[in-house]
Amino acid sequence: MSSRNPINIKASSTAERRSANPTTTSTRPRVPSGQGMENGSTTSHARKQSTGPKAGAGGERRTERREVREKETEIRRTRTRSPLKHSTESRVNARSRTEKPTHQERTSVSIGSTIRKTPEELQAPWEPQAVLIPHTTAPLASRISIPPLASTAPATHQPQPLNQLSLDAQETAIIEDLLFVFMGFEGQYIRFSDLYNPHDEKERLVGPQFRILPGLDPSLRDLTKSMLKMATHYIAVEACVEVLSREEYGSVNHSLCAAIRRLLKEYLTLMAQLEHQMLTNSSFTLHVLNLQTKPTSHMLFQLYTTGIELLEANGVLISEDSEDSADDTDGLEGILESLREGGNVGLTTKKICKGGSVLGLITKRLSSMSGDPAARSLLTTLLREASRPYMSMLNEWLHHGGIKDPHAEFLIKEQKSIKRERLDQDYTDEYWEKRYTMRDALVPPQLEGVKDKVLLAGKYLNVVRECGGVDISKVVQDVPTSFDDPRFQDNVNAAYAYANSSLFDLLLTTHALPARLRSLKHYFFLDRSDFFSYFLELGASELKKPARNVNIGKLQSLLDIVVRQPGSVAAEDPYKEDVKVKIDEIGLTNWLMNIVTVTGLDQDAANSGSISNYLAPASTAPVTDDSNITGFQALNFDYAMPFPLSLVVSRVTLTRYQLLFRYLLSLRHLETSLVECWGEQGKLGAWKHRSKNPRIEAWKRRAWTLRARMLVFVQQLLYYCTAEVIEPNWVSLMSRLKEEGKEDVKSKSKATEDGPSPQVKRTVDELMQDHVDFLATCLKECMLTNSKLLRINNKMMSTCTMFATFTQSLTRYLIVGDPELVDQVNAAQAAANGPTKAPSGASHRHSKSVSQQYVYDPQRIEKMFDMLIKYEDNFARHLKILLDTLNYLAATETVVFLSLCARLSSAGEGGFIDAAGEGAFGAN
């Protein structure tokens, strides 16, 4: 491409015209005036030498010259506003100046001498210079400063008016100007509009408007104006490429800009070819130039409109709208992530369109321009090139389970602060749920239907990779590199199937997930719990203490002894070392109530933005007082689950196991207490003695009946929870695990025989969901998820526990209310304290506990009946409420409670019959 300097050409052409037409220049009045100036200058110089040291006169002359110089400068400025004037106007001005008085002639002589002496002060040269501008984050952005506008050039450098040129000369000049304008420079006759500021980035991104100097032929002007749109589009596209090439816009935008640069390079090659035709082909006209630039103009228009949409999506050309809530949320998560990692936080909320958003925008334009073959071909090329870095990240995620996304533009977001080392403290499944999340705003349309598969495939493969099952150094080959590859969907499906089967094999075979679940069942669901009964017997003295005084180390030693005892189920368990004893500070009922009463925000409430939505609800009063709970009520087990099994049995899942364990333990402990109560009553003489008072015998029978009803209630409830809730659901879960294991083996064999891309019937997420559903079902059917049932059940259990622990007091009341029994016990106590220590009707253990003489109280029988009636009424009333609630829930939620109602109704039988019997006994 040839270079030219329009300023130098103008100067040389002006000099040639002056030399070719000497008569015109000789008629200008400045020539004789110039001679006079020279004479005046010589005279003044001689006069200056002759006057010598007359400083005052010299100062006056210098002041006069300065004033004259300023006047001449103002005159020249007024003349430069209209530099091209007709020679006749010069002649008229010359005549008017020759007719001026002598004083003005002397003034002009003085002015001429001043101009001749200091021409550089009156006519400073116009020398624009190019400088380097500072670096930006766009590595290929131009660093050359923007040239000055042609309108700022001096009048002496302006071109010859178009109306003074012939039609052919006008066309030649306009063609030459158009070639410069097409490359982003101003021409001699085609210039930027007066409102355009090239130093304003937004104006460059929109593109300049051009103006044509007056005097051009109308036909040439109309054709030229229609062609100037291409120059506007080129300048705007070039500026857009420089903006989107900056680092913060991501690799997809960078790849798109690289593809546009290649098109602009071809565009400049076309300009060079057109210039060659202009210089060598005499038949090259403006119409020919218009026809040859039509396809290129259409291409630049498509690039221009695409660039404008991208800039608007990035908020560069328009103000931020209200549709960037997802970006704001993502930005907030990014700030929190940076704070967790200890980095600096840049509080910038600039809207960025990158990654999948860019691909979605191009895809949308491609669908809207499907009827234009040229535009469709161009946009297809842009989409193919822009998707290459995105596909590289996608293949790395699908086949290696890793993310290489320095600009946060991939559809999968990684929270690096969430690490697997914190899984033992993860009570919210944060690692699995939040370590890798979906950026819905950055999902391209091509991945919208398979985005869930993409997320799960990478998550599964990431787990396998962390366990050493993926060779990340292996380069992925023969995979699609763009969205238009026909193997694109097959690649995603095959990667998803491979990752799913690999993780299934890792969990079910390598790390023996079914065996781990059976181990959990033994310890937490008290399955074959012979070791646990022995553990409770050995640790009874420690577990009767308040929870804060329990020695956990002693209990752990006792548990280690019990699980290693030969012949027990736990002795053959290879995972018995992972079970640890734990003492909780909060009771089971309060713990469950805290879980049940937690209410979350729905999406509409969260989006409303009201501060009241985020205020914590007022804390409800605890159901029970946990300040003095015993070790039996606070005992719990913990289980150390290794990775990757900790993804299936997470801390949240293990908490569900612990809740069920504590509930079953409370039932087992209450059953044991009631059985011991029956044993104590059977051994003590006070209960075996047949009193002559029939009311006392009636009271005994009612006490025995109440204890039996309580024992039936607890045993039926324990049987229901274990045999009718946990066991059937457990069998169903294990059957699904076995089917998944068989399907995994079949899919692997089919993949090796028939090729890749097998059909995935079940996923690891479905397995994890099955496990969670199993525990959730057990909690619900064991009445641990309903606050009303929890309160009723707690009152029933408290009543039974108080009655079981009140046996010793009932025995003392029974002795005091029977005179024969008082004499017998006092005599036995006296004999026991004597030297012979003869045995008595009362047991030796009871005699030790009695340290004082019993006194007969005839009113004690009434008090005993009142106390027993309170226990009976309390138990019967709460049992009826429980049965009514279960019947209602069986009709509205789950029918499983019907079987529990049928079993618990047997515990309520006899209560009212006993009340009638008491009346009969009372009548007697």
Side-chain angles (χ1 to χ4, degrees), residues 506-552:
L506 184 69
L507 293 174
L508 300 180
T509 305
T510 307
H511 290 273
L513 176 62
R516 283 281 183 178
L517 294 180
R518 282 191 291 270
S519 176
L520 287 173
K521 184 186 178 186
H522 292 330
Y523 297 115
F524 288 93
F525 295 158
L526 306 182
D527 177 49
R528 305 179 190 175
S529 56
D530 54 343
F531 73 95
F532 188 71
S533 301
Y534 188 37
F535 169 72
L536 292 181
E537 291 179 8
L538 293 178
S541 59
E542 194 71 26
L543 292 173
K544 288 179 181 178
K545 299 178 182 178
R548 58 179 176 270
N549 298 331
V550 173
N551 188 342
I552 301 179

Side-chain angles (χ1 to χ4, degrees), residues 166-181:
S166 64
L167 189 60
D168 293 340
Q170 286 184 7
E171 186 175 16
T172 303
I174 289 299
I175 290 176
E176 189 175 2
D177 270 13
L178 281 175
L179 292 178
F180 276 91
V181 171

Side-chain angles (χ1 to χ4, degrees), residues 691 693 696 810-822 854-862 864:
S691 176
N693 190 345
I696 295 180
L810 291 177
T811 303
R812 186 169 59 251
Y813 294 158
L814 185 60
I815 295 174
V816 175
D818 189 352
E820 296 181 1
L821 201 56
V822 168
Y854 289 96
V855 179
Y856 172 67
D857 184 6
Q859 303 297 327
R860 180 65 61 181
I861 296 179
E862 299 298 330
M864 291 167 56

Side-chain angles (χ1 to χ4, degrees), residues 418-434:
I418 304 176
K419 300 178 180 179
R420 54 176 284 193
E421 289 78 11
R422 297 166 53 189
L423 277 174
D424 56 341
Q425 304 173 357
D426 183 9
Y427 285 92
T428 59
D429 280 345
E430 190 177 31
Y431 181 85
W432 186 253
E433 298 294 338
K434 297 183 180 180

Side-chain angles (χ1 to χ4, degrees), residues 303-372:
L303 294 178
Y304 174 76
T305 52
T306 304
I308 290 295
E309 287 191 16
L310 285 173
L311 294 172
E312 289 178 351
N314 282 288
V316 177
L317 292 181
I318 59 175
S319 59
E320 295 182 359
D321 50 15
S322 60
E323 296 179 357
D324 54 353
S325 59
D327 295 339
D328 292 343
T329 303
D330 190 65
L332 178 61
E333 292 180 356
I335 292 174
L336 295 176
E337 179 72 13
S338 180
L339 288 174
R340 292 191 193 103
E341 295 178 357
N344 296 326
V345 179
L347 298 178
T348 58
T349 58
K350 184 179 180 182
K351 182 181 177 183
I352 299 294
C353 176
K354 56 186 177 181
S357 299
V358 177
L359 300 177
L361 190 146
I362 299 175
T363 304
K364 184 178 179 181
R365 282 196 57 83
L366 180 60
S367 62
S368 63
M369 302 299 295
S370 58
D372 188 345

Side-chain angles (χ1 to χ4, degrees), residues 589 592-593 596 623 663 713 717 720 779-797 878-890 893-894 897 900-901 904:
T589 304
L592 287 168
M593 289 297 295
V596 171
V623 179
Y663 182 61
F713 167 78
L717 188 57
Y720 163 79
L779 286 171
K780 181 179 181 180
E781 295 181 357
C782 290
M783 304 180 294
L784 301 182
T785 59
N786 188 291
S787 58
K788 186 174 182 179
L789 287 176
L790 283 174
R791 289 189 177 92
I792 299 172
N793 199 14
N794 176 69
K795 291 178 180 179
M796 295 285 296
M797 302 281 286
H878 289 109
L879 181 59
K880 185 177 184 304
I881 296 174
L882 177 62
L883 292 176
D884 292 342
T885 306
L886 289 176
N887 280 315
Y888 173 76
L889 293 176
E893 293 186 9
T894 175
F897 290 148
L900 179 60
C901 291
L904 295 183

Side-chain angles (χ1 to χ4, degrees), residues 689-692 818-825:
H689 174 73
R690 186 173 182 84
S691 176
K692 295 181 180 179
D818 189 352
E820 296 181 1
L821 201 56
V822 168
D823 297 338
Q824 184 179 358
V825 172

Side-chain angles (χ1 to χ4, degrees), residues 62 91 117 164 183 255 323 384 405 428 525 786:
R62 284 194 296 272
R91 296 191 188 98
K117 294 184 69 154
Q164 297 181 9
M183 297 173 62
S255 180
E323 296 179 357
R384 181 188 309 114
D405 185 18
T428 59
F525 295 158
N786 188 291

